[in-house]
Amino acid sequence: MIDAIKLQNFRNFGSKKIEFTPGTSLIIGPNASGKTNILESLYFLSTGKSFKANVEEEIINYDKDICRVEGRVAGPKTETLDLEAIVTRGQINIGAGRPEKAPRKKLLVNGIPRRMIDFAGNFKIVLFGPWDMDLVTESPSIRRKFLDTVLAQVDREYRRSILSYEKGLRQRNRVLWDIREGNAGHDRLLFWNQLLVKNGNYITEKREEFIDFINNLEFEINSLKFNLTYDKSVISESRLEQYGQEEIGAAITLVGPHRDDFVFNKGERSLASFGSRGEQRMGVLWLKMAELSFIEDKSGERSTLLLDDIFSELDGPHREIVVDIAGRQQTIITSVNDEFAKDLKKVERIELIR
Ligand SMILES: Nc1ncnc2c1ncn2[C@@H]1O[C@H](COP(=O)(O)OP(=O)(O)O)[C@@H](O)[C@H]1O
Ligand SMILES: [Mg+2]
């Protein structure tokens, strides 16, 4: 749960403080007033990363060279924590002198610098916005990112495995390249094979656990029953051996969780191929509800639900479902108008002006 945030030079905000109720907060403001930016800042406190920016320094206000997000969070079991994220462009101008070098990112918990894997997971969120429709219809990388976002919140070892796996993958691909060019022997692969198999198996195991968990949940949305099929790419010594020649030819690692995917189904049929737009939307909502349940099951905490501008896309009955869900944990909703405010319980308005 988040009590309050303070933004400095984050996107369009110069200096901004916001307090959040444990109930529902409704952030109201015209287009481009910074509603999504606020949710992005909360996501940053949760994960130590941006969900939008490809280059992290994009979150720094155009005219500045350093930005800061601070937040006070509290869980039902944990004490209050002060989280702070600072992002720079790599240097800071101090007065008239020459620009000074600065770390690009600093993450702190209670004022103490922490690594990403120790910073993340202190503030648990489930974020839902219009872009999540891509989960059904777009490329596998979006679905893998979803799996990582869920699992990374509740599992420090998963956070470590992902970082180690991704680093190892880049190294191994470089070695494959060197072997192909005749600049390295096959023995150079052994270390990286072991590292990828070890971390890759952990990732696969946890992803499978999550997908099993959500397939065993009993809830339906509008009497629609959804499920996921895990399309996994297992990594093992024998699989690496099997694809060895091909991998050297392509200079790319061809098996492993970086090639995973899952299929969204309504009943026995693929939602991407056969579902209506409305059914796909309900499928994504179902997935987000499952995410809330999973995080609660693993951590004993209900995460904060962040809903970005989703009411405009929902019709009456579907809005009721969301209103009902909003009442079950701290929820922060953004919207251009407040015609839904009356349906929400324990709601506090936060107004933004452009
Ligand atoms: N780094 C930045 N510095 C200053 N303004 C920014 C930066 N990044 C985005 N913006 C501004 O933020 C606004 C968009 O904010 P957003 O949160 O998407 O609005 P809303 O969700 O309320 O429609 C745009 O006007 C954009 O120009
Ligand atoms: Mg927006």
Side-chain angles (χ1 to χ4, degrees), residues 76-322:
K77 285 175 203 149
T78 50
E79 71 287 25
T80 303
L81 293 176
D82 287 315
L83 304 179
E84 184 176 353
I86 304 168
V87 173
T88 78
R89 301 184 196 277
Q91 57 180 40
I92 301 176
N93 287 303
I94 320 163
R98 264 189 276 156
E100 245 179 62
K101 264 192 178 293
R104 289 193 172 265
K105 179 154 75 179
K106 228 171 150 177
L107 302 169
L108 304 101
V109 179
N110 288 338
I112 300 164
R114 294 288 182 204
R115 289 189 297 167
M116 176 105 85
I117 60 168
D118 294 313
F119 180 83
N122 284 307
F123 167 42
K124 296 182 179 59
I125 59 162
V126 169
L127 171 65
F128 184 15
W131 57 83
D132 281 315
M133 288 297 286
D134 294 350
L135 277 167
V136 184
T137 49
E138 295 300 316
S139 65
S141 65
I142 292 178
R143 287 180 287 279
R144 287 193 295 270
K145 193 177 160 200
F146 167 79
L147 293 173
D148 290 346
T149 308
V150 184
L151 287 159
Q153 293 213 51
V154 293
D155 186 346
R156 183 180 186 281
E157 182 59 18
Y158 192 90
R159 297 197 282 277
R160 197 204 54 72
S161 298
I162 284 284
L163 283 177
S164 176
Y165 185 88
E166 283 171 355
K167 213 169 128 193
L169 196 58
R170 285 192 295 273
Q171 299 287 343
R172 185 173 188 273
N173 289 346
R174 201 165 303 154
V175 173
L176 288 170
W177 180 279
D178 286 345
I179 295 173
R180 188 178 70 181
E181 303 299 304
N183 297 327
H186 284 68
D187 56 325
R188 286 265 313 282
L189 285 173
L190 289 177
F191 174 81
W192 299 113
N193 289 0
Q194 274 180 13
L195 183 128
L196 290 191
V197 168
K198 183 166 166 279
N199 290 292
N201 282 335
Y202 189 81
I203 294 165
T204 306
E205 186 189 317
K206 293 296 154 178
R207 287 179 177 178
E208 189 145 52
E209 220 175 279
F210 170 71
I211 288 170
D212 285 347
F213 176 91
I214 107 168
N215 284 337
N216 285 318
L217 286 174
E218 283 298 320
F219 66 75
E220 304 177 355
I221 289 194
N222 266 15
S223 55
L224 295 173
K225 256 186 135 21
F226 298 101
N227 65 84
L228 307 180
T229 316
Y230 186 18
D231 180 6
K232 68 179 164 186
S233 178
V234 173
I235 191 164
S236 64
E237 296 284 359
S238 65
R239 288 253 294 168
L240 287 173
E241 198 163 306
Q242 186 188 339
Y243 286 90
Q245 274 323 100
E246 242 181 284
E247 287 192 325
I248 291 165
I252 282 177
T253 302
L254 296 171
V255 296
H258 63 291
R259 292 271 170 129
D260 275 355
D261 196 3
F262 65 78
V263 184
F264 237 116
N265 306 303
K266 187 194 89 179
E268 284 164 10
R269 290 210 165 78
S270 150
L271 195 56
S273 311
F274 301 106
S276 69
R277 192 76 183 156
E279 286 170 336
Q280 293 179 352
R281 199 173 286 129
M282 287 307 105
V284 178
L285 185 60
W286 169 81
L287 191 66
K288 295 288 157 174
M289 296 309 102
E291 195 180 343
L292 279 166
S293 301
F294 180 77
I295 294 173
E296 185 176 18
D297 185 74
K298 291 286 159 205
S299 71
E301 279 174 63
R302 200 84 186 149
S303 32
T304 298
L305 180 60
L306 310 177
L307 302 174
D308 194 32
D309 204 17
I310 64 155
F311 277 114
S312 53
E313 286 196 41
L314 298 174
D315 57 14
H318 293 139
R319 279 180 195 161
E320 274 173 40
I321 299 172
V322 174

Side-chain angles (χ1 to χ4, degrees), residues 31-32 34-37 308-309 334:
N31 276 323
K35 300 183 297 297
T36 303
N37 294 345
D308 194 32
D309 204 17
T334 73

